[in-house]
């Protein structure tokens, strides 16, 4: 498949700009999904100290891990076989992209509640070329899908969610960021978009887009490999990434945020994020003549 053509002809680049979330259908073939599964399985078998479960009183299993530096060489190899770079570069109308962060999510083994609404962005960086590529190994019906608030990446940056079972909007960070709105209790007031997906489909969203994950049930587990990217238009702001964190009761989330803050804080304020060589270059396969 000519991904750049598919993205242009269907206006996904414009949709990404305005909506902050898109769904590309059938872009990875079964061989490429096998490669994604290999990375996912390695990652699952080698969790980082930041890996943690949530909502342990619930029936099912909900695990998340991120900034697992041991996984980075596997991601780097994956991008030689699977055209992640082509997707994000085409969405930004660029020839270059840089890897920014790894992550996995597992929801399986029973009923697992919704993932609270949140953004993946903090005020320490910003830009139009920030993309999360979200690929599930499992088919996902619309009622269980990851959901997005259309256009929210162009508006307020909220505090993040502490994933408190009793209060989805309880802030994770100290400081004066606005608290997350209770989107779930007033869904009709928000322009929510989502898609049923099959393995091979890919969701791409801006780091600043409000998103929340649907529940899962025993028939529909959700195992997801996430890759985050930055482009030329991705900037370090004046805000220190770690300065606002509530260290008292955020559990491993604080360690996770600290870990990725190191990479962001290594970039001087006002500079492009890609000046940090830790964020390795991911050339589109097409540009390499593949
Ligand atoms: O899979 C989920 O439920 C949450 C995914 C998410 O928050 C993310 O990919 O950033
Ligand atoms: Fe997220």
């Amino acid at each position: 498949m000519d991904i750049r053509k598919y993205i242009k002809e269907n206006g996904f680049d414009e949709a990404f700009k305005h909506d902050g979330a898109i769904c590309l259908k059938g872009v990875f073939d079964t061989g490429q999904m096998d490669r994604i599964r290999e990375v996912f399985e390695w990652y699952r078998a080698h969790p980082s100290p930041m890996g943690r479960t949530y909502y342990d009183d619930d029936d099912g299993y909900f695990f998340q891990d991120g900034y697992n530096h041991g996984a980075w060489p596997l991601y780097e190899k994956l991008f030689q076989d699977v055209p992640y770079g082509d997707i994000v570069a085409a969405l930004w109308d660029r020839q270059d992209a840089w890897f920014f962060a790894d992550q996995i999510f597992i929801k399986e083994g029973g009923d697992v509640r919704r993932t609270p609404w949140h953004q993946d962005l903090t005020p320490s960086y910003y830009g139009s070329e920030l993309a999360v590529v979200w690929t599930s190994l499992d088919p996902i019906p619309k009622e269980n899908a990851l959901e997005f608030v259309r256009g929210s990446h162009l508006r307020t940056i909220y505090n993040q969610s502490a994933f408190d079972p009793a209060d989805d909007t309880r802030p994770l960070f100290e400081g004066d960021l606005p608290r997350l709105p209770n989107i779930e209790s007033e869904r009709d007031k928000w322009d929510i978009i989502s898609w049923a997906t099959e393995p091979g489909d890919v969701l791409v969203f801006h780091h600043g887009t409000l998103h929340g994950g649907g529940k899962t049930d025993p028939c529909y587990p959700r195992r997801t490999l996430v890759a985050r990217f930055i482009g030329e238009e991705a900037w370090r702001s004046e805000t220190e990434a770690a300065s606002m964190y509530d260290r008292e009761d955020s559990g491993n989330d604080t360690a996770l945020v600290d870990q990725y803050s190191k990479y962001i804080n290594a970039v001087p304020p006002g500079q492009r994020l890609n000046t940090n060589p830790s964020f390795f270059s991911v050339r589109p396969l097409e540009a390499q003549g593949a």
Side-chain angles (χ1 to χ4, degrees):
M1 166 186 239
D2 183 339
I3 286 183
R4 193 168 277 266
K5 194 161 159 227
Y6 169 66
I7 285 177
K8 293 278 153 205
E9 284 183 357
N10 291 284
F12 285 120
D13 47 348
E14 286 302 311
F16 179 77
K17 235 180 258 162
H18 297 126
D19 297 345
I22 55 159
C23 174
L24 305 175
K25 301 300 270 180
V27 287
F28 295 158
D29 64 26
T30 48
Q32 291 167 334
M33 287 310 295
D34 287 344
R35 291 285 294 110
I36 291 171
R37 184 174 296 101
E38 275 166 34
V39 176
F40 176 91
E41 292 301 348
W42 181 93
Y43 199 141
R44 173 183 197 141
H46 301 85
S48 83
M50 276 75 70
R52 62 170 291 191
T53 57
Y54 296 95
Y55 312 121
D56 293 339
D57 293 342
D58 288 3
D59 177 33
Y61 176 74
F62 184 0
F63 176 83
Q64 190 254 137
D65 197 357
Y67 304 97
N68 184 346
H69 215 243
W72 284 37
L74 283 91
Y75 273 87
E76 199 163 8
K77 276 215 195 85
L78 181 68
F79 302 147
Q80 298 301 318
D81 299 330
V82 185
Y84 281 84
D86 299 68
I87 291 175
V88 291
L91 288 172
W92 301 329
D93 203 13
R94 293 280 191 182
Q95 283 300 331
D96 289 288
W98 288 263
F99 184 62
F100 181 70
D102 58 284
Q103 199 164 17
I104 61 168
F105 289 90
I106 302 171
K107 289 178 122 175
E108 66 181 14
D111 291 299
V112 182
R113 53 156 282 158
R114 287 186 63 86
T115 312
W117 288 94
H118 66 279
Q119 292 156 311
D120 293 344
L121 191 61
T122 72
S124 56
Y125 69 101
Y126 64 94
S128 56
E129 295 175 4
L130 302 173
V132 183
V133 181
W134 193 95
T135 322
S136 177
L137 301 178
D138 303 294
I140 305 172
K142 192 169 162 76
E143 58 270 30
N144 294 11
L146 191 65
E147 299 180 309
F148 305 90
V149 175
R150 192 198 306 268
S152 50
H153 63 307
L154 303 173
R155 301 195 286 268
T156 313
I157 300 180
Y158 296 99
N159 206 312
Q160 293 200 2
S161 166
F163 283 38
D164 178 341
D167 180 357
D168 277 358
T169 68
R170 184 165 80 77
L172 176 63
F173 306 145
E174 288 172 346
D176 50 12
L177 284 174
R179 187 181 179 124
L180 280 160
N182 194 339
I183 295 170
E184 205 45 31
S185 72
E186 43 172 31
R187 286 178 64 94
D188 53 337
K189 294 203 182 127
W190 299 83
D191 185 2
I192 294 173
I193 52 175
S194 69
W195 300 268
T197 52
E198 294 293 327
D201 299 348
V202 172
L203 300 179
V204 189
F205 55 99
H206 187 279
H207 299 196
T209 306
L210 277 164
H211 58 284
K215 65 174 177 51
T216 61
D217 53 54
C219 306
Y220 289 106
R222 187 158 86 229
R223 296 165 299 157
T224 313
L225 189 77
V226 170
R228 287 162 208 272
F229 296 89
I230 53 174
E232 295 276 347
E233 281 302 320
W235 300 88
R236 171 82 157 80
S237 68
E238 300 293 325
T239 308
E240 265 300 284
S243 58
M244 66 193 104
Y245 302 123
D246 168 4
R247 278 151 206 290
E248 293 303 311
D249 61 353
S250 303
N252 280 348
D253 278 338
T254 309
L256 192 150
V257 170
D258 276 352
Q259 184 73 7
Y260 99 91
S261 301
K262 270 191 224 147
Y263 295 100
I264 299 172
N265 288 342
V267 179
Q271 298 290 306
R272 289 192 152 87
L273 291 179
N274 65 10
T275 56
N276 180 349
S278 297
F279 302 132
F280 60 81
S281 162
V282 181
R283 294 285 293 164
L285 298 177
E286 167 219 28
Q288 300 172 34

